[in-house]
């Protein structure tokens, strides 16, 4: 049993944000509290995934939540709104650090963003351990972008992330692929690097609210969650459009919010493709149960940058999953090693339609899939690695 610790977690993304890093951070903190630790969170008022600030005074029992960014306005330009987030959150954390690091055993920055931790490194008390958690390697996602401005951005990303990671006493990555890439590009010391896959968060909620959306007479192909550049949204829409013409009795669904989904919706003229808001958290298990297949897409050459945090939940739910990833990626190897269906590494529409059709007609071993998920994706292992 880990001794009681006092922890300061630093991330703009937190409760009550419904998906992605905010959801991850919330569940992680609640488990820390359940195990007897004291947690203070420096975060922003919720704004993700639609990048519009929604002031919130909601609290979580046992968690001290310090919020900022109540008056922030984010632009529709991806780079500009990221810079707004980075600098505003850094300024907020700089102002709050001195008061809220008092009596803390651990400071936990969740990357990205990275500017905040970069600027506070000199001001963190020497007796406080610094344990970073990496959700995305931003340098991986900046690869291949041309233009002087993008080159400047990449230079600063490298400089800042390298300083942040090297300054941590321990860094936890969500995949071995991320760890190996970060070690190589940032010259990190291996003995302070840890890997733990993201964890299952399903709560066995029993709801029946989606019948009017997901017709049980149809084969429902679903993408759900945050949608941005790293999910290859235009190619995903194109795949859905082509597959709807070639596979009979199919309906294709996006459950998402934000600027990217608005653009796709405006571009779409295919009546077999449907757009919905994110489901409520209590309907998540129902969504997975009523999805014939869930799609997890990764843009080409980005698998080293992150591991999708919804993968554990999808596998644990027993839902069929089609992952589109890079050749020899960690997910592809994980699926092959554990005999899971189905991970592919080609964005060609004809190839994807063939594999989708195969998966529709394939019987999967749901019990085996759940067993693998429960053995690999556990929050207890993650917490042990943070403290050891």
């Amino acid at each position: 049993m880990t001794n009681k610790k006092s922890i300061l977690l630093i991330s703009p993304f937190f409760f009550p944000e419904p998906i992605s890093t905010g959801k991850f951070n919330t569940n992680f903190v609640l488990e820390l509290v359940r195990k007897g630790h004291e947690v203070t969170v420096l975060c922003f008022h919720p704004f993700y995934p639609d990048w519009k600030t929604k002031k919130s005074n909601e609290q979580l029992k046992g968690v001290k939540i310090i919020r900022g960014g109540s008056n922030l306005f984010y632009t529709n330009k991806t780079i500009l709104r990221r810079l707004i987030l980075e600098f505003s959150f850094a300024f907020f954390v700089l102002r709050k650090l001195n008061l809220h690091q008092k009596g803390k055993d651990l400071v936990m920055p969740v990357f990205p963003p990275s500017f905040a931790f970069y600027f506070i490194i000199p001001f963190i008390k020497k007796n406080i351990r610094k344990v970073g958690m990496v959700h995305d390697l931003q340098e991986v996602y900046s690869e291949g972008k041309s233009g002087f401005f993008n080159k400047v951005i990449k230079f600063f990303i490298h400089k800042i992330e390298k300083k942040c990671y090297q300054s941590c006493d321990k860094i936890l990555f969500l995949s071995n692929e991320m760890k190996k890439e970060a070690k190589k590009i940032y010259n990190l010391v291996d003995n302070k690097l840890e890997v733990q896959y993201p964890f299952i968060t399903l709560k066995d909620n029993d709801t029946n609210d989606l019948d009017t959306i997901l017709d049980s007479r149809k084969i429902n192909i679903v993408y759900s969650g945050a949608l941005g550049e790293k999910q290859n949204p235009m190619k995903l829409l194109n795949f859905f459009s082509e597959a709807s013409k070639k596979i009979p009795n199919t309906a294709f669904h996006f459950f998402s919010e934000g600027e990217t989904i608005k653009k796709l919706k405006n571009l779409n003229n295919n009546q077999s493709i449907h757009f919905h808001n994110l489901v409520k958290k209590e309907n998540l298990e129902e969504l997975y149960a009523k999805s014939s297949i869930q799609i997890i897409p990764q843009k080409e050459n980005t698998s080293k940058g992150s591991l999708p945090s919804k993968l554990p939940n999808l596998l644990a739910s027993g839902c069929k999953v089609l992952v589109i990833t890079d050749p020899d990626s960690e997910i592809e190897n994980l699926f092959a090693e554990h005999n899971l269906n189905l991970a592919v590494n080609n964005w060609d529409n004809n190839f994807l339609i063939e594999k989708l059709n195969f998966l529709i007609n394939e019987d999967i071993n749901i019990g085996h899939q759940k067993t693998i998920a429960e053995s690999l994706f556990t929050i207890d292992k993650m917490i042990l690695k943070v403290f050891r």
Side-chain angles (χ1 to χ4, degrees):
M1 183 73 179
T2 307
N3 293 331
K4 180 179 177 180
K5 301 290 185 183
S6 184
I7 302 160
L8 178 64
L9 187 134
I10 299 173
S11 174
F13 307 103
F14 198 63
F15 173 83
E17 288 183 346
I19 57 172
S20 200
T21 306
K23 179 183 176 183
F24 181 100
N25 289 342
T26 302
N27 283 294
F28 180 69
V29 165
L30 286 174
E31 186 63 16
L32 287 171
V33 171
R34 195 185 71 80
K35 292 182 180 298
H37 305 292
E38 294 180 351
V39 184
T40 298
V41 181
L42 296 183
C43 62
F44 269 176
H45 288 269
F47 62 92
Y48 192 79
D50 54 3
W51 291 88
K52 292 179 180 178
T53 300
K54 304 177 186 71
K55 294 183 183 180
S56 174
N57 294 316
E58 291 189 67
Q59 297 294 314
L60 293 171
K61 186 177 180 180
V63 184
K64 187 175 183 180
I65 305 174
I66 312 299
R67 300 189 191 277
S70 60
N71 297 312
L72 278 179
F73 174 78
Y74 301 96
T75 72
N76 292 334
K77 298 288 185 181
T78 302
I79 292 178
L80 288 179
R81 71 187 183 197
R82 176 59 66 174
L83 289 173
I84 291 169
L85 173 63
E86 291 275 8
F87 282 106
S88 59
F89 189 62
F91 181 65
F92 165 73
V93 174
L94 273 169
R95 288 189 293 113
K96 300 294 182 180
L97 177 69
N98 190 50
L99 175 62
H100 295 290
Q101 71 171 322
K102 291 178 180 178
K104 297 296 185 291
D105 303 297
L106 222 67
V107 168
M108 286 196 65
V110 180
F111 305 115
S114 304
F115 281 23
F117 188 70
Y118 178 83
F119 288 121
I120 68 170
I121 290 169
F123 305 106
I124 298 174
K125 294 179 180 178
K126 301 300 182 184
N127 63 323
I128 299 177
R129 291 186 72 234
K130 301 179 289 291
V131 179
M133 184 177 292
V134 183
H135 280 239
D136 296 300
L137 292 174
Q138 292 298 289
E139 187 163 344
V140 170
Y141 293 109
S142 67
E143 290 288 348
K145 293 183 178 180
S146 59
F148 175 76
F149 186 60
N150 284 316
K151 288 181 180 178
V152 171
I153 292 293
K154 183 181 176 182
F155 170 81
F156 280 106
I157 287 174
H158 179 86
K159 179 181 178 65
I160 290 166
E161 288 195 336
K162 182 177 181 179
K163 175 70 172 177
C164 287
Y165 297 168
Q166 288 185 344
S167 298
C168 287
D169 299 299
K170 177 179 287 188
I171 314 171
L172 191 63
F173 296 92
L174 301 187
S175 75
N176 284 289
E177 205 172 6
M178 292 170 67
K179 171 192 164 182
K180 290 176 184 176
E181 186 69 7
K183 181 183 176 182
K184 179 178 72 175
I185 62 180
Y186 298 129
N187 193 28
L188 303 176
V189 179
D190 192 64
N191 63 8
K192 70 175 184 180
L193 309 182
E194 292 271 15
V195 173
Q196 180 56 47
Y197 292 138
F199 45 82
I200 298 167
T201 60
L202 295 179
K203 302 296 184 183
D204 294 323
N205 289 319
D206 187 15
T207 64
N208 192 32
D209 300 328
L210 304 179
D211 282 344
T212 58
I213 297 175
L214 298 172
D215 187 343
S216 61
R217 297 167 296 180
K218 294 280 190 179
I219 300 166
N220 292 296
I221 313 301
V222 176
Y223 175 84
S224 60
L227 187 67
E229 183 182 359
K230 66 183 180 182
Q231 282 84 27
N232 228 353
M234 286 304 302
K235 286 193 175 182
L236 183 60
L237 178 66
N238 187 255
F239 163 45
F240 277 11
S241 183
E242 290 300 309
S244 71
K245 300 170 187 175
K246 296 184 179 180
I247 304 177
N249 198 39
T250 49
F252 293 79
H253 302 269
F254 287 93
F255 289 84
S256 188
E257 295 174 23
E259 290 303 315
T260 300
I261 204 70
K262 290 177 185 176
K263 291 177 183 177
L264 293 192
K265 190 174 182 178
N266 289 334
L267 289 169
N268 179 60
N269 56 12
N270 187 324
Q271 293 185 351
S272 296
I273 300 176
H274 311 277
F275 294 85
H276 319 277
N277 290 335
L278 291 164
V279 298
K280 297 177 182 178
K281 60 183 179 181
E282 58 265 25
N283 295 131
L284 194 58
E285 288 90 333
E286 182 188 355
L287 174 63
Y288 293 165
K290 291 179 176 175
S291 301
S292 305
I293 295 174
Q294 282 261 348
I295 309 295
I296 300 181
Q298 290 184 305
K299 186 179 179 181
E300 300 96 327
N301 304 314
T302 65
S303 67
K304 295 176 182 178
S306 63
L307 190 140
S309 59
K310 65 184 173 184
L311 177 62
N313 281 345
L314 284 170
L315 293 177
S317 74
C319 180
K320 291 183 179 181
V321 181
L322 176 62
V323 181
I324 311 169
T325 184
D326 291 328
D328 201 35
S329 70
E330 184 152 0
I331 295 181
E332 184 183 48
N333 292 332
L334 186 150
F335 271 54
E337 179 184 351
H338 296 286
N339 195 28
L340 300 170
N341 280 320
L342 180 67
V344 300
N345 52 40
N346 190 325
W347 272 95
D348 176 76
N349 279 335
N350 290 328
F351 173 81
L352 288 176
I353 291 166
E354 176 189 337
K355 295 303 180 183
L356 180 61
N357 215 2
F358 164 80
L359 193 55
I360 288 170
N361 296 295
E362 178 76 356
D363 289 329
I364 67 169
N365 187 334
I366 292 175
H368 170 72
Q369 183 172 297
K370 288 182 176 181
T371 299
I372 295 300
E374 289 166 2
S375 67
L376 292 176
F377 306 109
T378 72
I379 195 167
D380 285 342
K381 289 182 181 177
M382 179 169 286
I383 290 174
L384 283 173
K385 289 178 181 179
V386 166
F387 290 121
R388 83 181 176 192

